[in-house]
Amino acid sequence: ALFKYTAGSPLNLGILIGDAIMKGALASDLEFVQFHPTGFIGKGGVKLVSEAVRGAGAKLVNEDGERFVNELEPRDVVARAIYRKMQSGSRVYLDATGIENFKEKFPQIYSFLVKEGINPERDLIPVTPIAHYSIGGLKVDLHYRTNIKNLYAIGEAANNGFHGANRLASNSLLECIVSGLEVARTVRRDKPKGGSGEIRDTAQESGDIESVKEILWKYAGIVRNENGLLEGLKELEKLEVDERIKLLVKGILECALARKESRGVHYREDYPIIRKEFERHSIFNGRCML
Ligand SMILES: Cc1cc2nc3c(=O)[nH]c(=O)nc-3n(C[C@H](O)[C@H](O)[C@H](O)COP(=O)(O)OP(=O)(O)OC[C@H]3O[C@@H](n4cnc5c(N)ncnc54)[C@H](O)[C@@H]3O)c2cc1C
């Protein structure tokens, strides 16, 4: 939830990832943030109109009702196409009026749209890309061990390359199951000795989170470039925000700056192609190494 627009839980601010990095854990691939093409920003907050709706035949159209992208391209391609269309001044809509029995097929989506005054069986749905998933996280091995003894990480907080540079839809819940199962085996093998160490109150005031969200959305969003990322780092420096969050955000910006190429979900308009020399993971330990 460190980006301005996301349907993720507002409680997930990455504090514990930042905390672990401060204590010597390595993070990797922090620049790889996946954006979902079809978010919906309404009075009731940010929601997701799932891919399945496009899979069932919904079309993406501009204000004039014209299609501008193949809706079934990968998420990053569709998200960028929508972003560019919006940058050119047009609103973007999902036209699901051709889907029969929308209400029965997508009851939850139907329900929140109707509450917002949109009947998807009749009306166009205004959509916008939103931040969706962090591919990067604490660097773990195949058994979900970090580089700190007895510290394990699983799920979205961890990264061992499971999702490459571009997570496929539904694979994160799969990873939650795989990593949860595997880490249980690892802990049983490692038999870590208990010891609580220093536990800090994670519920303390986080500081100026709203500005953090603005910075990441503006400078480390769907389309990035060197000047923006440098500006983001400069603005971050001045913020009064929890130091652990600040460190994590620095990692995202610095690694996005260091990766002078476009690969998977990471898109640099100043380096719009994949480059062989960057075919490796970034590591962040307070500084980005790539
Ligand atoms: C709207 C939406 C739809 C999605 N749909 C799909 C899908 O269809 N298929 C799929 O594979 N993936 C989907 N994803 C992604 C998937 O849900 C997540 O990647 C997955 O839930 C991550 O699980 P997790 O256990 O790692 O983290 P979470 O489920 O986010 O759990 C982390 C927990 O840690 C708690 N926490 C955070 N910070 C602190 C702190 N400082 N102290 C104590 N507790 C803390 C949080 O409150 C939360 O309970 C979706 C994500 C979103 C946002």
Side-chain angles (χ1 to χ4, degrees), residues 7-8 11-12 16 48 132-133 155-156 167 170-173 176 202:
L11 298 175
N12 281 344
L16 296 177
L48 210 61
H132 187 56
Y133 182 84
E156 195 166 334
R167 175 178 80 94
S170 284
N171 265 3
S172 67
L173 294 180
C176 284
T202 60

Side-chain angles (χ1 to χ4, degrees), residues 5 18 21 34 36 39 61 64 66 82 172 184 207 218 257-258 280:
Y5 299 113
I21 299 171
Q34 183 168 63
H36 195 288
V61 294
D64 299 320
E66 294 158 351
I82 297 176
S172 67
K218 190 165 170 194
L257 184 63
R280 54 181 189 261

Side-chain angles (χ1 to χ4, degrees), residues 52-164:
V53 176
R54 273 174 285 137
K59 304 293 177 220
L60 283 163
V61 294
N62 64 13
E63 285 175 351
D64 299 320
E66 294 158 351
R67 284 179 71 200
F68 56 91
V69 64
N70 175 355
E71 292 79 2
L72 303 180
E73 288 280 353
R75 279 183 178 168
D76 63 298
V77 175
V78 181
R80 265 197 310 281
I82 297 176
Y83 172 83
R84 292 221 154 101
K85 193 50 71 185
M86 294 174 85
Q87 289 293 98
S88 75
S90 173
R91 296 194 72 175
V92 172
Y93 299 90
L94 195 59
D95 181 352
T97 55
I99 299 177
E100 274 179 36
N101 303 325
F102 188 101
K103 188 177 174 182
E104 283 77 42
K105 285 181 181 147
F106 306 105
Q108 285 177 341
I109 298 172
Y110 181 87
S111 158
F112 76 69
L113 286 174
V114 164
K115 281 193 197 126
E116 298 278 353
I118 294 167
N119 179 348
E121 295 183 335
R122 207 183 47 217
D123 307 322
L124 298 182
I125 309 164
V127 288
T128 177
I130 55 174
H132 187 56
Y133 182 84
S134 171
I135 290 176
L138 292 175
K139 183 177 177 339
V140 290
D141 65 14
L142 290 177
H143 308 288
Y144 296 90
R145 297 181 185 105
T146 69
N147 58 304
I148 294 185
K149 192 162 190 291
N150 298 343
L151 180 67
Y152 306 87
I154 57 172
E156 195 166 334
N159 173 37
N160 64 3
F162 190 99
H163 300 294

